[in-house]
Amino acid sequence: MRVIGGLLVIILLVLAGGIATGFIDLQKTQNGRLPEVAVKEGALPKYEANVAKVEVGTRKETVEVPTVDVKKP
């Protein structure tokens, strides 16, 4: 498997070197196009979901906050 991989890498390097130095010249002779695809109408699946009811609101609350004294040494 290593031998085949090594040979493939060497072939790709030789090919890339040939293209880069001008020994291999590639010319496009015909324009390409995408295949034609026909799409027919379909239907999405239907789902029914029962979810929890969430109520959002505000209320006043009293919270005791500790005091912190900082003394310099």
Side-chain angles (χ1 to χ4, degrees):
M1 197 66 177
R2 282 187 172 192
V3 175
I4 294 172
L7 288 175
L8 186 60
V9 168
I10 291 172
I11 290 170
L12 288 175
L13 287 174
V14 169
L15 186 63
I19 292 171
T21 58
F23 285 113
I24 299 173
D25 187 24
L26 300 175
Q27 297 293 325
K28 182 170 71 167
T29 59
Q30 181 181 355
N31 287 333
R33 62 182 178 88
L34 294 174
E36 294 179 15
V37 178
V39 178
K40 297 181 181 178
E41 84 178 50
L44 292 174
K46 293 182 180 180
Y47 293 97
E48 185 177 314
N50 297 321
V51 295
K53 184 178 179 184
V54 177
E55 294 183 12
V56 179
T58 60
R59 66 179 181 191
K60 292 187 178 186
E61 194 71 34
T62 303
V63 179
E64 291 186 27
V65 179
T67 59
V68 178
D69 290 333
V70 179
K71 297 179 181 177
K72 292 184 180 180

